[in-house]
Amino acid sequence: MQCGTKKDAGISVLVCAKNEEKNLLTLIPKLLAQDYRQFEIILINDHSEDDTLQVMQDFAAQNSLITIIDLKTKTGKKFGITKGILHAQYEHLLFTDADCIPQSKHWISEMAAQFSNEKQIILGYSGYSKIANSWLNKVIRFETLLTAMQYFGYAENKNPYMGVGRNLAYTKTLFKKSKGFESHAHLKPGDDDLFVNQNASKTNVAVCTTLESFTRSEPKKNWKAWFIQKRRHTGVAHHYRSKHQLQLGAFYASQFLFFLLFVSLVAINQQLILILSVFVIREIMVWLITSKAAIKLQEKELIPYILILEPFLVSIQMLIFITNILIKPRRWN
């Protein structure tokens, strides 16, 4: 689906930040430079221990578009976002993170143009920056690419199941009507994917995949930090609707079983020509489909590595799944 650049109603951009003074110095000027007729920026300080609040205040003193919410009692992103939404003056809400940079001055207009009387949730794309000569970086970007292929594909086929809070929009009316994050307030994650999963319908979701609507974040730079992050994301999947748990479970299981059965059948030397033929056909299809998405989502550099990255990522995902079953996370940072 293509996105237009129609400038319509006002929109509130919300950013919840904790210890993000350096990232805000980059993000806030990008937000202020957006080419959109009517918008506000709501910055939420979640008990930062650095100069995050001071950075917010310095920008707010120079620009009336900025409103600051400094959390004093409860902590957490969900509480902060809820406070921000209640203070928002506009019906349309657009979310990103402090370490996430819009890739054009038309980010707001591209996302906002998708709202209509029917469309109340807008799913955008947020990739990660490239780091030269880093296998971890390729894995992170490839996993992000595959995830986007899934949630965009499901939404386009009227079966939306999640969104990514680094580039997500929805209406204030929907948030209030659904009672926000009330049903999963006890979980630290889920301000984006769980909210979408519980409130998306066949008709109220639109996707925005134009280049000017993209945002980009800095990725994790070590395996441990990324592994913890992925455990957190995977850990809330069992709160999705049952049909989505089954569909996603079947998808990941089919990937794992395909490679497992291929290796097993080759090892016992059974029907090698047939097995190799099926394997090659399947890999060609995966490469073609994923390459097309990589081009559209500005990840062309990953194309030569797709057939290596896929089985590697499948192995990592299985390890994360097993780890989450055996070891209850002590933290979700």
Side-chain angles (χ1 to χ4, degrees):
M1 180 181 294
Q2 295 297 310
C3 307
T5 56
K6 178 183 176 182
K7 295 183 179 181
D8 201 354
I11 194 165
S12 299
V13 180
L14 291 90
V15 180
C16 188
K18 183 173 184 177
N19 300 327
E20 297 280 7
E21 57 173 305
K22 293 182 180 179
N23 288 322
L24 288 174
L25 289 170
T26 303
L27 172 64
I28 295 175
K30 291 287 188 180
L31 297 181
L32 290 172
Q34 288 294 299
D35 182 14
Y36 194 73
R37 178 176 58 83
Q38 190 174 21
F39 70 98
E40 65 173 339
I41 301 169
I42 299 177
L43 304 175
I44 303 137
N45 176 44
D46 183 11
H47 298 80
S48 298
E49 297 174 350
D50 62 0
D51 288 331
T52 289
L53 180 59
Q54 186 61 54
V55 170
M56 291 177 176
Q57 291 172 337
D58 289 345
F59 277 103
Q62 302 173 41
N63 201 298
S64 60
L65 291 177
I66 297 175
T67 297
I68 299 172
I69 296 176
D70 185 23
L71 301 183
K72 297 294 187 181
T73 53
K74 293 183 179 180
T75 63
K77 189 175 182 181
K78 289 180 180 176
F79 179 74
I81 290 175
T82 301
K83 290 276 288 186
I85 290 174
L86 294 178
H87 278 77
Q89 61 177 303
Y90 299 120
E91 166 68 5
H92 294 165
L93 312 169
L94 179 57
F95 302 87
T96 193
D97 288 342
D99 65 342
C100 197
I101 305 301
Q103 296 301 286
S104 84
K105 65 179 182 179
H106 301 297
W107 169 59
I108 292 179
S109 60
E110 291 289 305
M111 293 291 286
Q114 287 300 299
F115 279 114
S116 68
N117 290 335
E118 185 178 49
K119 304 302 181 183
Q120 296 177 290
I121 299 174
I122 315 301
L123 308 181
Y125 178 69
S126 182
Y128 284 100
S129 300
K130 300 176 184 178
I131 299 176
N133 303 315
S134 169
W135 180 249
L136 171 61
N137 181 253
K138 287 181 175 62
V139 172
I140 291 173
R141 287 161 48 217
F142 182 70
E143 191 271 339
T144 303
L145 171 64
L146 290 188
T147 300
M149 289 172 64
Q150 283 187 303
Y151 70 76
F152 283 145
Y154 273 56
E156 290 280 25
N157 285 282
K158 302 187 183 302
N159 186 25
Y161 78 95
M162 70 162 283
V164 176
R166 301 190 305 276
N167 197 0
L168 174 68
Y170 50 80
T171 65
K172 191 172 185 177
T173 296
L174 179 66
F175 184 84
K176 288 184 173 181
K177 183 178 179 181
S178 64
K179 298 183 179 180
F181 309 127
E182 185 176 300
S183 64
H184 49 90
H186 60 291
L187 302 172
K188 286 188 177 181
D191 58 277
D192 47 8
D193 58 342
L194 282 183
F195 179 82
V196 173
N197 189 264
Q198 293 180 359
N199 294 287
S201 71
K202 292 181 179 180
T203 59
N204 74 349
V205 176
V207 303
C208 192
T209 57
T210 56
L211 299 183
E212 292 185 320
S213 71
F214 291 180
T215 63
R216 196 165 295 277
S217 301
E218 285 301 310
K220 300 295 184 183
K221 298 190 172 54
N222 65 76
W223 287 95
K224 181 179 180 181
W226 179 69
F227 194 81
I228 291 174
Q229 182 187 61
K230 297 319 298 178
R231 285 194 65 196
R232 171 170 60 85
H233 292 166
T234 305
V236 299
H238 65 279
H239 293 281
Y240 287 0
R241 296 178 184 178
S242 296
K243 70 172 183 177
H244 294 135
Q245 292 186 47
L246 290 173
Q247 291 167 351
L248 293 171
F251 173 76
Y252 290 117
S254 68
Q255 284 185 305
F256 178 75
L257 290 174
F258 174 80
F259 290 110
L260 178 63
L261 289 173
F262 172 74
V263 172
S264 300
L265 292 173
V266 169
I268 62 176
N269 198 27
Q270 291 291 319
Q271 300 289 332
L272 285 182
I273 295 178
L274 176 61
I275 293 168
L276 290 173
S277 298
V278 172
F279 181 83
V280 170
I281 292 172
R282 189 261 186 190
E283 293 299 281
I284 290 174
M285 292 178 64
V286 167
W287 187 85
L288 289 173
I289 294 170
T290 310
S291 294
K292 184 177 180 180
I295 292 171
K296 186 174 183 65
L297 299 179
Q298 295 289 284
E299 295 292 358
K300 290 186 289 187
E301 191 242 344
L302 296 176
I303 291 176
Y305 305 96
I306 287 174
L307 299 185
I308 301 173
L309 284 165
E310 190 202 16
F312 184 85
L313 182 61
V314 168
S315 301
I316 296 294
Q317 288 170 330
M318 184 56 62
L319 178 61
I320 292 172
F321 176 74
I322 294 173
T323 302
N324 277 356
I325 291 176
L326 298 178
I327 304 173
K328 184 178 181 180
R330 289 176 294 177
R331 63 176 185 174
W332 281 135
N333 300 327

